Amino acid sequence: DAGITQSPRHKVTETGTPVTLRCHQTENHRYMYWYRQDPGHGLRLIHYSYGVKDTDKGEVSDGYSVSRSKTEDFLLTLESATSSQTSVYFCAISDGVNTEAFFGQGTRLTVV
Amino acid sequence: SQQGEEDPQALSIQEGENATMNCSYKTSINNLQWYRQNSGRGLVHLILIRSNEREKHSGRLRVTLDTSKKSSSLLITASRAADTASYFCAKVSGYALNFGKGTSLLVTP
């Protein structure tokens, strides 16, 4: 399995609090992605990174920010969590845009 | 939306039958990829087809790509109960990898 770890795996937080999810890889892959998965919506891209300090917005980026200060870590921050951000969050990595992506096991986030 | 769109949304078949899922997209692509997701787990890559390819095989999987119609299909032959999962197509747009809503496949013994 590709070396990709998401933490935490589960989290319950209160509305209005900041939350940071971490994606850590040991593969030295250039590209990293954050998705959320909700019933009826499939996987929706939140943010992605194409190199250290190089990030861009995906389809559903409002309310989220990211940082990538080193190759192995891609952090997703919910600046002020809302109930609509209750979801399962997946991180993915790939070595190139024309190669397969590898997924983490997901983080289940509940905002109460 | 930049997502590809799969259809049908859900498919129920019996073991031994073939399963066909379709994916449509809107903009030009370099490649199109298919992934599988077992319940609650991360996605696993199945197959990648490049824009200059028309058909690709991997074991019991056959993927076709029609760039003129902006569509792809995934065929699983001689399905097994273990093929029960959700299947997603994904396309690259710039550096972004965008997924569709998926097809939920149920294979009953």
Side-chain angles (χ1 to χ4, degrees):
Chain A
D1 290 345
I4 176 169
T5 305
Q6 290 185 230
S7 59
R9 293 291 313 283
H10 302 272
K11 186 172 183 65
V12 179
T13 192
E14 293 185 348
T15 299
T17 60
V19 176
T20 295
L21 309 183
R22 182 188 186 217
C23 179
H24 178 76
Q25 61 146 328
T26 58
E27 305 295 325
N28 201 37
H29 283 354
R30 176 181 175 187
Y31 299 91
M32 299 186 75
Y33 307 89
W34 275 110
Y35 298 90
R36 60 177 291 174
Q37 185 172 31
D38 306 287
H41 291 278
L43 266 78
R44 292 182 290 175
L45 182 63
I46 305 172
H47 282 280
Y48 60 97
S49 170
Y50 47 95
V52 174
K53 297 185 179 179
D54 291 322
T55 65
D56 206 346
K57 297 178 180 180
E59 184 186 1
V60 291
S61 60
D62 286 350
Y64 301 93
S65 62
V66 290
S67 67
R68 191 170 179 200
S69 59
K70 46 187 178 178
T71 299
E72 55 266 36
D73 289 325
F74 192 33
L75 304 180
L76 176 70
T77 298
L78 288 65
E79 294 139 8
S80 177
T82 68
S83 59
S84 65
Q85 293 175 312
T86 292
S87 187
V88 179
Y89 291 85
F90 286 99
C91 175
I93 63 174
S94 72
D95 199 26
V97 293
N98 292 315
T99 61
E100 65 180 289
F102 299 93
F103 278 76
Q105 294 186 308
T107 294
R108 184 173 295 276
L109 176 69
T110 302
V111 183
V112 298
Chain B
S1 171
Q2 297 178 0
Q3 293 180 335
E5 295 297 335
E6 293 92 339
D7 86 275
Q9 291 185 359
L11 182 60
S12 182
I13 60 174
Q14 292 190 317
E15 272 191 326
E17 295 181 336
N18 295 341
T20 299
M21 289 157 263
N22 303 296
C23 171
S24 62
Y25 56 93
K26 297 177 181 177
T27 60
S28 62
I29 58 171
N30 292 326
N31 67 72
L32 189 137
Q33 304 177 36
W34 284 90
Y35 289 77
R36 164 191 168 130
Q37 183 183 35
N38 288 91
S39 180
R41 303 179 67 88
L43 278 69
V44 175
H45 183 264
L46 295 176
I47 198 164
L48 180 152
I49 186 165
R50 301 189 189 282
S51 59
N52 61 353
E53 297 175 313
R54 292 296 168 260
E55 187 170 310
K56 201 163 183 179
H57 296 254
S58 177
R60 294 184 295 113
L61 305 180
R62 181 171 75 96
V63 169
T64 61
L65 179 65
D66 187 335
T67 53
S68 66
K69 295 182 179 178
K70 292 186 167 59
S71 67
S72 174
S73 67
L74 170 67
L75 169 67
I76 304 174
T77 60
S79 62
R80 306 165 181 168
D83 293 328
T84 293
S86 293
Y87 293 83
F88 295 85
C89 69
K91 70 175 191 69
V92 173
S93 176
Y95 297 137
L97 181 62
N98 292 295
F99 287 81
K101 296 181 180 180
T103 292
S104 178
L105 174 65
L106 174 64
V107 182
T108 55

